[in-house]
Amino acid sequence: MAIIFHKQSKCFHLYNNEVSYIMRIMENGQLENLYYGKKIHDKEDFTYFHDEAMRSQMSVCIPEPGLLSMQYTRQEYPSYGTGDYRSPAVTIAQENGSRIIDFKYAGHEIYSGKKEILPLPATYVEEKEEAETLEVTLHDNVMDTDLILSYTIYEAYPVITRNTKFVHKGKEKIVLERAMSASVEFLDMDYEMVQLSGGWSRERYVKNRKLEMGIQSIQSLNGTCCGAEHNPFFALKRPHTTESQGEVYGFSLVYSGNYLGQVEVSTFDMTRVMMGINPEDFSWELKSGESFQTPEVVMVYSDKGLNKMSQTYHRLYRKRLMHGEWRDKARPILLNNWEATYFDFNEEKILTIAKKAKEAGVELFVLDDGWFGARNDDYRGLGDWYVNLEKLPDGISGLSKKVEELGLKFGLWVELEMVNKDSDLYRAHPDWIISAPNRFESHARHQNVLDFSRNEVVDYIYEMIAKVIRESSISYIKWDMNRYMSEPYSKGSAPCEQGKVMHKYILGVYDLYTRLTTEFPHILFESCASGGARFDPAMLYFAPQTWCSDDTDASERTKIQYGTSYVYPIVSMGSHVSAVPNHQMHRITPIETRANVAYFGTFGYELDLNLLSDAEIETVKKQIAFMKEHRELIQMDGDFYRLLSPFEGNETAWMVVSSDKTQAVAAFYQRLNKVNASWLRLKLDGLDANTKYEVSCDMAPVTSYDAKIAEAYGHKTDEDSVKTYQAYGDELMSAGIPIDREELNKKGGDFASLLYTLKKVDE
C-alpha cells in the first residue's frame, strides 16, 4: 500500500496489491483523473494518459495556444461555468450572484491512518498501518475558500474512500447548493449499471441497465431515510462480468438521508460518476470561519466479479464500519411478538409466548409496538414513551425482569422520531413536527415526523427513552421509523436556514444514536424503517443489524436478501421465520424453507410458538440447534457466495464458506415445482479444490407432510434420512451436487428447499 506524489509530473498514485488510482494537477491547477482500476506498477510520469484535441465548440480554460478543455477532461471534482457542460459536483452561490468557481491546487498531505469525520459516521482503522490517506487542498482565491478532497486507501481491501470538506475564510458569506462527496470519471461507456431498487416489502431488487448517453441516476428525497425505492449503492460492471469473473466498480454512500447517485455519459463516451447529498432542497450557508463536511463514499474495485466486490464490502463493513460490543459477536436467536399479537396483548399473554420460546431454545424475547402511552392501535400514543400500566402493570422494568427469570434476554421496540397528533407530546409541543406554515400537513400511518433538526426535541426524546432503559433490563432495541418526510420545514429555523433542515434532521438521528449507544453500550440495536427503508451503511455504524423487510415470506425473502447481499454483510440482515399463511403474501411455505432462508441473516421467529403443532415445535428446536452450531460460520467468519439468482430463474442458491475453507453451508431454493423436468446440478463456489468434503443434507419430508402419504411413498422421517457422501472441492465446484427432483417433492414441491453442510475430511 502506498500513496506517492511525483513532484516533477505532478501525479498522485494511490495503490495496493489490487487497485490503482492515479490523478494529476493540470495546467489550470485543477485535478484530473488519469486511471482507476486494477493495480499497475508505479512510475514517475503518467501524464500521457491525458487526452487532448481541438474540437468544435470547445471552450479552452488556459491561455492560447493551450487546448485544455474541461468538457473533454476526466475531472476529480468538476464545476459548471468554465467550459464543462456536464453536471457539476459542486455549485456555490456567492454574494454578487455568481456561481463561477475555480478551485486550484494549494497543497496536499499524506499520512498513515484515517481521520474521523464526526458527526458523520464513516469507516475507520484501528491501527494506522491499515490505511493511508491523501488530503488535497484546493483554494478559490475570489471566495477565499478551501476545498479539501480526502482519499483513503486500505491495505487489505481493494477500497478507496472519498469525502469532501469546505472551509470558508472569506468575509462575504457563500451558499453551498451542491456538494457531492465524490466524482469519478471513466474513459468509456461500456458498462452496465447495477442498482438495488423496489418498494415496501420488495426492497433491494437487483436491476441492471446498459449505460447510454445522457444521465441515469438513483436518488432519495424521502428526508428521513434513504428509502425503500433505491438503496444508496450502485455498481458499474462490464457487460460480460459475472458473479465470479470480470471487472466491476462499486459505489456505496455512508449516509441515511436524501442522496443522489448519478452516472452521466457524454456524447464522446466518457462516463462521469458522482455521489453525495441530494442537491434538491439543499442549501448550506457558510460564514467566515465555518465549514461543511460531506458524507463518505466507499468505492470498491473487483476484477473477479460481483461476488468479490460484495465480499469486500462485507468484510470492510463488518470489521471497519460496525463498532462497539456487538461488532464481533454472533447474534442471539430471538422471538418477536408483533405478528403473534400486534397491539392486542397483556403481560400474561407475553409471558406465555416467552415461556414457550425459551422451551424451544430461543435466547431473546422482543416486545414490539403497543407497550406505551395510549397505544392500542396506530392512531395514538406515539411519542409518549412511558409504560401503559393497563397492559403491563409492573411496567417494562417488571416485565423485563420476569422475562430474564425465564432464562431469556429482553428486547424492546421503539419509534423515536415520530409522533401521533393524539398524544401528550403533540398536545404539549405542536410546533415540534416537521410542517410548513399555512400548508396542509400530510400524514402517513396516522403520524407525523418530529423535528430532529432541533436540539431540544432530540434532548427530550433522549431523556424519555433513556429513563425507560435505565429502569429496566434491556439487551436489545429495535429502532423503527415508519414514514417519509413531507412539507420539509422547521419552525425552529430561520427562513434562510430551511435548506439545512433535512441534513440537520439526519444529524439529529445520528446524535440520538450516539448518545444511546454510548450510555448503553451493551445493548444490541437493530434499525428498522417500515421494513428495510433505512438499510444503509451509516446505520450499520450505530446499529449492526437492520430489519431486512416487513415481507417475511420465504420465497420473496430470497430476492430481498439476495439483493441486499450485494453490499451488506449477512450478519446485518434481520431475518425471521414467521407464521403461515404469511401475513404479507398470504402464501404457505414449508417451515423448513422459512428457516433455510432465515439462517442467512440474524435468525429469529415472528410468531406465537404456542400455536404450532408438536411436530413443528420439534422442527423449531432442531432449527435453533442448527443455527447455534453454525452461526459463527454464517454470521462472523464465512464468506458469502451467490450461486443462482432469483431474478434470473426458478431457483435460488447461495452459500457461506469458512475463511479456512474447511466448512461451508449451502442452500438451494425452488420457487415452483416442475413436472417431468430436466436434471439439476448445484455448482458451489469458494471451496478448496484439493480438499475432500463430507456433504450432508437432511432429506426428511417437510414437517407438515401427511404421515400416511409419507408411508405410502416410502419416505422415512428418521435419522436415516440424512444423505451423506464425500467429494473434492473441484468436483463440487465444477460438476456440482446432483439434485433429485423427487427429494424436492418430498420437501413440499412448491417453495421447497435443500440445505447442505460441508466439512473437511481428514485424509
Side-chain angles (χ1 to χ4, degrees):
M1 172 192 66
I3 298 178
I4 296 175
F5 177 61
H6 296 289
K7 189 173 182 179
Q8 185 173 351
S9 63
K10 298 182 179 179
C11 289
F12 295 95
H13 188 186
L14 297 75
Y15 65 92
N16 58 24
N17 290 332
E18 296 184 78
V19 63
S20 281
Y21 194 98
I22 303 172
M23 55 187 174
R24 69 153 184 152
I25 305 166
M26 297 185 289
E27 296 92 316
N28 67 345
Q30 297 181 23
L31 292 182
E32 177 185 25
N33 182 277
L34 296 176
Y35 174 80
Y36 175 31
K38 189 172 182 177
K39 188 250 183 176
I40 60 178
H41 284 90
D42 183 56
K43 59 182 182 180
E44 173 63 33
D45 190 357
F46 292 97
T47 56
Y48 54 86
F49 284 169
H50 170 76
D51 298 288
E52 192 172 281
M54 173 63 74
R55 299 186 186 277
S56 175
Q57 298 178 328
M58 66 184 273
S59 298
V60 178
C61 62
I62 58 175
E64 295 185 297
L67 291 178
L68 184 63
S69 172
M70 294 297 94
Q71 176 71 3
Y72 308 105
T73 299
R74 301 187 298 280
Q75 301 171 63
E76 277 297 301
Y77 204 73
S79 60
Y80 172 78
T82 57
D84 184 357
Y85 304 104
R86 297 168 290 170
S87 299
V90 56
T91 304
I92 302 176
Q94 297 144 64
E95 283 286 81
N96 64 0
S98 172
R99 288 171 172 77
I100 305 304
I101 57 178
D102 186 11
F103 283 103
K104 296 180 180 293
Y105 172 81
H108 72 271
E109 179 185 5
I110 299 172
Y111 57 87
S112 297
K114 186 176 189 290
K115 295 178 182 177
E116 295 180 318
I117 57 171
L118 297 174
L120 291 167
T123 56
Y124 60 89
V125 297
E126 291 188 341
E127 304 293 337
K128 288 185 176 180
E129 294 74 19
E130 294 177 17
E132 199 163 15
T133 298
L134 165 67
E135 291 184 357
V136 181
T137 299
L138 308 172
H139 186 74
D140 184 294
N141 288 325
V142 174
M143 295 186 299
D144 194 11
T145 304
D146 284 343
L147 166 62
I148 303 171
L149 301 180
S150 179
Y151 305 75
T152 295
I153 184 166
Y154 279 83
E155 180 175 19
Y157 309 101
V159 168
I160 295 172
T161 69
R162 298 274 305 273
N163 70 78
T164 303
K165 185 175 183 179
F166 296 86
V167 180
H168 184 49
K169 303 174 181 177
K171 295 180 180 179
E172 295 183 340
K173 69 179 182 181
I174 61 173
V175 178
L176 300 179
E177 296 178 332
R178 176 186 287 247
M180 305 304 284
S181 295
S183 179
V184 184
E185 301 206 32
F186 298 91
L187 188 64
D188 66 283
M189 60 177 284
D190 189 25
Y191 294 98
E192 292 176 351
M193 181 177 177
V194 183
Q195 65 194 68
L196 306 177
S197 299
W200 177 81
S201 278
R202 50 180 176 84
E203 298 91 341
R204 293 173 300 285
Y205 279 20
V206 178
K207 303 292 182 181
N208 293 284
R209 50 177 157 165
K210 188 179 186 301
L211 291 190
E212 287 294 348
M213 294 177 183
I215 293 174
Q216 34 266 302
S217 64
I218 55 172
Q219 69 170 0
S220 168
L221 286 170
N222 303 322
T224 54
C225 59
C226 62
E229 290 74 23
H230 306 291
N231 198 258
F233 158 85
F234 64 85
L236 297 185
K237 74 177 188 71
R238 294 299 185 181
H240 301 295
T241 294
T242 66
E243 289 286 1
S244 58
Q245 61 183 7
E247 276 197 321
V248 58
Y249 299 83
F251 301 89
S252 175
L253 183 65
V254 187
Y255 188 60
S256 307
N258 291 352
Y259 74 89
L260 174 66
Q262 180 175 295
V263 181
E264 182 173 5
V265 179
S266 76
T267 54
F268 286 85
D269 297 350
M270 296 166 62
T271 299
R272 173 176 290 177
V273 172
M274 59 179 60
M275 207 170 203
I277 294 174
N278 200 317
E280 182 68 29
D281 210 9
F282 169 84
S283 62
W284 200 277
E285 181 181 286
L286 291 178
K287 298 183 178 68
S288 183
E290 294 182 337
S291 62
F292 181 80
Q293 174 67 57
T294 70
E296 178 176 80
V297 173
V298 178
M299 308 190 309
V300 169
Y301 170 76
S302 168
D303 65 340
K304 295 181 176 63
L306 290 160
N307 266 323
K308 175 65 182 298
M309 176 199 72
S310 298
Q311 290 166 3
T312 299
Y313 276 121
H314 295 177
R315 293 169 187 158
L316 179 71
Y317 285 175
R318 194 170 62 196
K319 291 293 187 182
R320 292 298 180 263
L321 180 62
M322 298 178 183
H323 69 292
E325 291 187 13
W326 283 97
R327 185 191 73 176
D328 299 321
K329 290 182 180 179
R331 306 296 192 256
I333 296 170
L334 65 82
L335 184 141
N336 184 297
N337 75 294
W338 178 241
E339 290 191 8
T341 67
Y342 293 101
F343 294 106
D344 183 20
F345 63 83
N346 55 29
E347 184 179 274
E348 181 182 2
K349 183 182 287 189
I350 291 300
L351 290 175
T352 300
I353 295 172
K355 183 179 180 181
K356 191 69 173 180
K358 171 59 181 176
E359 292 174 2
V362 169
E363 299 163 314
L364 167 68
F365 175 82
V366 180
L367 179 64
D368 212 280
D369 196 356
W371 60 267
F372 52 90
R375 189 73 166 174
N376 294 313
D377 52 44
D378 56 10
Y379 286 84
R380 70 202 85 246
L382 198 57
D384 297 338
W385 299 108
Y386 48 82
V387 183
N388 184 330
L389 295 177
E390 292 183 6
K391 291 183 177 181
L392 306 173
D394 293 326
I396 294 299
S397 175
L399 177 62
S400 64
K401 290 177 174 61
K402 291 175 183 178
V403 169
E404 287 201 337
E405 287 171 359
L406 293 174
L408 295 164
K409 295 296 185 181
F410 180 79
L412 194 64
W413 177 98
V414 297
E415 187 175 2
L416 302 176
E417 301 157 63
M418 303 294 155
V419 64
N420 293 124
K421 287 191 174 181
D422 186 358
S423 67
D424 293 341
L425 174 57
Y426 179 79
R427 285 185 282 271
H429 301 284
D431 63 321
W432 277 12
I433 66 170
I434 295 284
S435 62
N438 305 313
R439 302 293 182 185
F440 180 77
E441 295 169 355
S442 301
H443 51 87
R445 205 173 181 255
H446 324 298
Q447 62 193 49
N448 291 79
V449 182
L450 285 172
D451 187 356
F452 266 41
S453 73
R454 300 171 66 171
N455 292 333
E456 64 269 28
V457 177
V458 177
D459 292 343
Y460 179 89
I461 296 298
Y462 169 69
E463 290 301 334
M464 285 199 77
I465 196 60
K467 182 176 185 295
V468 175
I469 300 173
R470 292 178 193 128
E471 295 173 349
S472 308
S473 298
I474 296 175
S475 301
Y476 165 102
I477 286 180
K478 179 181 178 181
W479 183 327
D480 209 344
M481 191 287 299
N482 278 300
R483 68 156 291 182
Y484 298 161
M485 191 184 296
S486 59
E487 295 80 47
Y489 188 96
S490 171
K491 297 181 179 68
S493 297
C496 64
E497 297 284 300
Q498 294 302 319
K500 295 183 176 182
V501 169
M502 284 190 276
H503 181 57
K504 288 176 66 177
Y505 176 92
I506 295 299
L507 296 181
V509 174
Y510 295 160
D511 179 33
L512 184 56
Y513 256 115
T514 299
R515 295 194 212 182
L516 291 174
T517 55
T518 300
E519 182 174 354
F520 309 105
H522 67 284
I523 291 179
L524 171 59
F525 282 81
E526 177 175 281
S527 65
C528 176
S530 195
R534 196 184 254 171
F535 212 130
D536 66 75
M539 280 292 104
L540 296 185
Y541 181 87
F542 303 103
Q545 61 190 56
T546 302
W547 183 227
C548 210
S549 175
D550 282 343
D551 191 342
T552 54
D553 173 74
S555 182
E556 286 302 303
R557 268 303 187 102
T558 60
K559 296 179 183 178
I560 296 167
Q561 291 175 213
Y562 188 97
T564 304
S565 75
Y566 269 59
V567 195
Y568 303 102
I570 303 307
V571 71
S572 70
M573 299 184 201
S575 53
H576 296 171
V577 176
S578 62
V580 293
N582 177 264
H583 290 199
Q584 295 78 42
M585 295 291 295
H586 307 285
R587 177 185 283 153
I588 295 176
T589 56
I591 193 169
E592 287 85 353
T593 295
R594 283 174 268 158
N596 287 349
V597 175
Y599 287 144
F600 295 87
T602 59
F603 195 72
Y605 292 84
E606 193 93 9
L607 44 74
D608 184 350
L609 294 175
N610 292 288
L611 302 180
L612 300 187
S613 68
D614 291 343
E616 288 174 321
I617 287 295
E618 290 305 309
T619 297
V620 167
K621 290 179 180 179
K622 291 180 181 178
Q623 291 170 351
I624 291 173
F626 176 88
M627 191 60 186
K628 288 178 179 178
E629 180 182 354
H630 294 93
R631 61 183 163 187
E632 286 286 343
L633 164 63
I634 294 172
Q635 296 177 350
M636 307 308 299
D637 175 60
D639 288 320
F640 184 77
Y641 291 84
R642 292 179 297 272
L643 304 176
L644 295 172
S645 170
F647 302 101
E648 296 177 4
N650 189 56
E651 292 85 27
T652 304
W654 53 48
M655 66 185 296
V656 173
V657 183
S658 65
S659 57
D660 62 5
K661 300 186 182 299
T662 61
Q663 56 179 324
V665 177
F668 174 90
Y669 312 94
Q670 173 176 268
R671 188 168 294 118
L672 297 181
N673 207 9
K674 294 182 178 180
V675 64
N676 194 27
S678 57
W679 310 119
L680 279 174
R681 295 288 186 273
L682 175 60
K683 295 182 179 180
L684 305 186
D685 201 353
L687 303 173
D688 181 78
N690 299 312
T691 294
K692 182 185 284 187
Y693 294 92
E694 181 177 87
V695 183
S696 301
C697 182
D698 188 349
M699 296 298 182
V702 296
T703 301
S704 58
Y705 207 82
D706 187 274
K708 292 183 179 179
I709 297 177
E711 183 180 355
Y713 281 92
H715 296 159
K716 298 180 180 180
T717 59
D718 56 20
E719 293 299 323
D720 293 337
S721 63
V722 177
K723 181 179 179 180
T724 301
Y725 76 104
Q726 295 184 355
Y728 282 94
D730 56 357
E731 174 190 324
L732 294 168
M733 292 187 290
S734 298
I737 299 175
I739 293 179
D740 187 344
R741 288 193 180 273
E742 177 58 22
E743 302 295 347
L744 292 172
N745 291 335
K746 290 163 57 179
K747 292 291 188 180
D750 289 348
F751 314 115
S753 63
L754 298 170
L755 190 70
Y756 298 91
T757 58
L758 290 81
K759 292 184 179 180
K760 178 183 177 181
V761 176
D762 293 326
E763 296 183 277

